[in-house]
Structures are given as structure tokens and as C-alpha cells.
Amino acid sequence: MGAVMSSLQPHAGTPGVAWIMSAMKILIGIAFLFIIGSLVSALVFMMRDGRDGKPKTNNMVRALALRVGFSIVLFVCILISYKMGWIQPTGLPVIR
């Protein structure tokens, strides 16, 4: 069954898959930038809220919730891309 399923998935050498692979790399990079940007905005809100007698706001909590949401979406996109054969693992070889 596994051999049949792997033969149905597109491989990295397939010409039509090359643009999907490059698009996924760009999507992953943009998602990482959004995650880092959300962390930076949470830091800014943490440092600025509640100063000078102003009441604290929920901006930091919203920014961190947004970061968690981006992380979950990124993980799901990477998982789906791997299962569809759009991205390939390129880790270190296992030496026994």
C-alpha cells in the first residue's frame, strides 16, 4: 500500500512541482518573518504598556496569541507540504 501511495505523489524531479517547492520556501520564510515580527511587537507592548499612569492593555496578549496562531499554521503547512511531496527533508545522513 505504501509503495502505491508513494508512486502517486509528485517527486521533486517533476517539472510542475519545482514552482510549488520554491513557493513553499517563500511561504515558510514569510511565516517566520511574521512570527518574529509578532514577538517583537509583543516585546514593544510589554515595555510600553502601563507606563506613565496609563492602564495596561491586552496588546501583548494579542501579539503572542497571533504568534501562536502563525506557528500552528506554519507547522500544518509544512506537514501538508511534506505529505504532498512538495518539500523534501534534507537532514544529515544517519551513520550507523
Side-chain angles (χ1 to χ4, degrees):
M1 175 92 178
V4 173
M5 291 302 292
S6 65
S7 66
L8 295 176
Q9 293 179 349
H11 296 288
T14 309
V17 177
W19 70 273
I20 294 174
M21 291 175 62
S22 62
M24 287 308 299
K25 290 178 184 178
I26 292 170
L27 178 72
I28 290 169
I30 290 171
F32 276 128
L33 289 176
F34 278 129
I35 291 168
I36 298 297
S38 179
L39 281 173
V40 169
S41 68
L43 175 67
V44 169
F45 290 135
M46 181 179 71
M47 299 304 282
R48 289 189 180 170
D49 281 353
R51 296 175 93 187
D52 301 327
K54 296 178 186 174
K56 289 191 174 194
T57 62
N58 288 333
N59 291 335
M60 184 181 74
V61 175
R62 286 187 196 129
L64 291 175
L66 193 62
R67 184 200 64 84
V68 170
F70 281 136
S71 298
I72 291 170
V73 168
L74 177 64
F75 178 75
V76 169
C77 283
I78 290 173
L79 187 64
I80 290 171
S81 299
Y82 174 72
K83 291 293 184 182
M84 296 295 289
W86 296 339
I87 58 174
Q88 301 295 324
T90 57
L92 297 174
V94 177
I95 300 173
R96 295 182 183 191

